[in-house]
Amino acid sequence: MSSQDLTVLPVDELMTREPVTCAPDATIRAAAELMAERHISSVCIIDAQGFRGIVTVRDINAKVVAGGVRPDQPVAEVMTPAPLTLPPDALGLDVLHMMMERRIGHVPIVEGGRLLGIVTQTDLTRFQALSSAELVRLVAEAQDVPAMAEVTARIPGLLAQLVGAGTRHDAVTRLITDIADTVTRRLLTMAEDELGAPPVPYLWLACGSQGRREQTGVSDQDNCLILSDDVAEGDMVYFARLAQIVSDGLHACGYVYCPGDMMATNPRWCQPLRVWRGYFEGWIAKPNPEAQMLASVMFDLRPIGGDEALFGDLQTDTLAKAARNSIFVAHMVANSLKHAPPLGLFNRLPRTPLDLKHTGVVPVVDLGRVYALQGQVTAVNTRARLEAALDSGALSSSGGADLMDAYDMIATTRLRRQARQIRAGEAPDNTLPSGALSGFERSHLRDAFVVVKTMQSALGTGKGALG
């Protein structure tokens, strides 16, 4: 195991040194002003005898804002005295375990009564971001596919560590996807090194979870190629070989071939720009079931490598034409309602395993795609689409906020399940056994599914903006 693995990293390499402090007799207001000025969430309390306690934003909210303690009182009135601490020779794993077990976000590092530093959830997230950057660097420097595969084999461990550190689900999937993007671009470079310069400009795009920047521990590949309209028939051999090299490399690195053949190796998805324009125009004009499915996939396209100018006008023109076609929008709405949350009679959760992808995350992904289509939003990330719908009024503030919270709950539950599987040495999947949640967690997950079901009903009846 690498010395840079968080679980074995000495805490003195992880902590923030010289944390912000104040005396026990400083006022609560002074401590709050310190936190606001330094953009931090805690202040450590020390006096001549050493470390005395800690006060956090949560303490002030609970005891001052909600509890009625006057802000001119000494901070000692609201601090946590003698909080849980760790010595400087502890490991990152000790911090993780303490935070998870005791449900705390700040761990002072103390030795002999002297405050040496502090580790916060922000510190853990920052370290993990640096760890993902290290994987990106190693991929970018890899000289062959086996070397890249050795790096991508570390992604499950990174996912488990990020989840264990309490990192937001959308930040986890963004970091994981950044690595896949780097792998793809490195493979494109390798392909060009082998084949020579491309005969005409091209653009490699990802769709699916990579396109949305929502990759987890379970991801196949979904991609395509848009070629310049200057491409000649004889040039297609070059791009067929390029697509095969990249697709094979992705598969070797753990991004398995798409079972639906939605890949650039399929000649249908390796075409000049004019053909792609014809695809989208045809899907919009005649929204049959296949057209709806393909449009749903292709509305999640995101450029990865090549000439991005090949996509800009195509995306904006397609969104404008699609949004103006009420019949197409209606079909897309109907298509988005095919994935239903797993709720039975009286909105009860079944006692059978839950598919957290197809009946959990996908229904919200589908809703986000429709909101983006209606508002002509170019973002492909689901959370970004929901935020844009809130900003534009396509979602009401109450309904949109509930849907965002529901999505966060479902997506986080999915990642936590995968992280537990990875720590147990199992291959991660999207299935949640019926007994894997506490009664409390199960109740909250059910509430999240009810929100999604409600928003689907509102969209299906044309009341989506009402929330």
Side-chain angles (χ1 to χ4, degrees):
M1 184 176 290
S2 167
S3 63
Q4 290 304 302
D5 188 311
L6 175 62
T7 58
V8 298
L9 188 75
V11 78
D12 67 350
E13 293 182 31
L14 183 64
M15 69 185 183
T16 297
R17 300 177 186 275
E18 300 180 357
V20 177
T21 63
C22 69
D25 58 358
T27 65
I28 298 170
R29 178 179 287 107
E33 289 172 347
L34 264 178
M35 285 188 265
E37 178 185 335
R38 302 292 184 89
H39 302 288
I40 55 177
S41 57
S42 66
V43 171
C44 292
I45 314 302
I46 62 172
D47 62 14
Q49 281 69 49
F51 178 66
R52 287 291 172 262
I54 187 172
V55 63
T56 67
V57 169
R58 180 178 294 182
D59 293 328
I60 292 176
N61 286 339
K63 299 174 184 177
V64 180
V65 178
V69 177
R70 297 198 315 275
D72 59 356
Q73 292 295 298
V75 72
E77 293 288 321
V78 296
M79 75 178 186
T80 300
L84 295 167
T85 66
L86 284 172
D89 61 352
L91 301 177
L93 182 63
D94 300 321
V95 177
L96 277 173
H97 285 177
M98 181 176 284
M99 285 185 172
M100 295 304 104
E101 180 184 356
R102 305 304 180 94
R103 298 186 179 182
I104 57 176
H106 306 78
V107 179
I109 308 303
V110 177
E111 186 174 48
R114 187 166 65 94
L115 178 68
L116 302 179
I118 190 169
V119 180
T120 67
Q121 287 185 340
T122 301
D123 293 319
L124 298 184
T125 301
R126 185 183 300 116
F127 176 83
Q128 296 301 351
L130 290 172
S131 293
S132 69
E134 174 69 4
L135 296 192
V136 166
R137 182 186 68 80
L138 292 172
V139 166
E141 294 176 353
Q143 296 303 304
D144 53 34
V145 171
M148 273 193 288
E150 287 184 12
V151 179
T152 55
R154 295 164 57 182
I155 290 176
L158 174 64
L159 183 148
Q161 290 177 14
L162 286 166
V163 173
T167 310
R168 284 181 55 95
H169 71 89
D170 49 328
V172 175
T173 57
R174 174 65 179 267
L175 292 172
I176 298 298
T177 305
D178 283 349
I179 298 170
D181 290 356
T182 306
V183 170
T184 305
R185 284 189 286 269
R186 183 72 186 109
L187 288 167
L188 287 168
T189 300
M190 289 179 175
E192 289 190 21
D193 288 344
E194 179 178 335
L195 302 174
V200 297
Y202 72 88
L203 179 62
W204 183 283
L205 304 98
C207 47
S209 60
Q210 184 183 2
R212 297 189 305 275
R213 287 191 169 108
E214 294 166 7
Q215 287 191 314
T216 67
V218 187
S219 296
D220 59 5
Q221 56 176 288
D222 298 281
N223 46 61
C224 64
L225 272 169
I226 298 178
L227 311 177
S228 166
D229 283 337
D230 294 330
V231 68
E233 185 65 31
D235 297 331
M236 298 304 289
V237 174
Y238 176 97
F239 291 108
R241 292 176 63 191
L242 179 138
Q244 197 66 58
I245 291 170
V246 177
S247 184
D248 289 347
L250 288 169
H251 183 80
C253 290
Y255 308 101
V256 299
Y257 300 124
C258 173
D261 204 20
M262 189 68 68
M263 298 181 293
T265 49
N266 182 340
R268 187 179 185 185
W269 310 127
C270 177
Q271 292 291 335
L273 177 59
R274 62 179 179 275
V275 175
W276 279 99
R277 288 190 184 278
Y279 285 162
F280 280 104
E281 289 172 0
W283 296 333
I284 293 168
K286 297 180 180 179
N288 58 42
E290 184 193 33
Q292 295 168 38
M293 182 275 291
L294 292 174
S296 294
V297 172
M298 293 305 176
F299 273 123
D300 292 348
L301 284 176
R302 181 172 60 87
I304 303 298
D307 186 353
E308 294 194 17
L310 291 168
F311 184 61
D313 289 344
L314 175 64
Q315 183 185 39
T316 53
D317 292 349
T318 299
L319 281 172
K321 290 176 181 177
R324 288 196 300 266
N325 189 319
S326 58
I327 296 176
F328 176 76
V329 173
H331 278 280
M332 287 292 289
V333 169
N335 190 60
S336 74
L337 305 180
K338 291 180 178 178
H339 295 103
L343 296 170
L345 192 63
F346 305 118
N347 285 333
R348 291 174 179 164
L349 281 180
R351 289 293 174 182
T352 53
L354 302 177
D355 184 338
L356 291 177
K357 178 181 179 180
H358 291 102
T359 64
V361 171
V362 168
V364 187
V365 170
D366 289 342
L367 287 172
R369 189 182 295 115
V370 172
Y371 294 134
L373 172 60
Q374 291 175 330
Q376 299 183 46
V377 175
T378 56
V380 293
N381 175 265
T382 298
R383 211 170 192 284
R385 284 171 164 172
L386 296 179
E387 289 171 351
L390 266 171
D391 292 342
S392 69
L395 274 171
S396 71
S397 57
S398 58
D402 286 347
L403 184 57
M404 297 262 282
D405 287 345
Y407 177 56
D408 289 344
M409 173 69 184
I410 297 165
T412 298
T413 301
R414 179 192 185 197
L415 282 183
R416 286 176 177 168
R417 167 63 182 164
Q418 291 188 2
R420 286 194 294 269
Q421 290 177 295
I422 291 165
R423 293 189 196 103
E426 303 170 3
D429 58 33
N430 295 299
T431 303
L432 182 70
S434 58
L437 297 177
S438 67
F440 180 82
E441 292 170 323
R442 189 176 177 85
S443 175
H444 279 272
L445 187 60
R446 172 203 165 275
D447 290 344
F449 286 136
V450 170
V451 169
V452 176
K453 181 180 178 181
T454 301
M455 297 303 292
Q456 284 185 323
S457 298
L459 186 65
T461 57
K463 300 176 181 179
L466 301 177

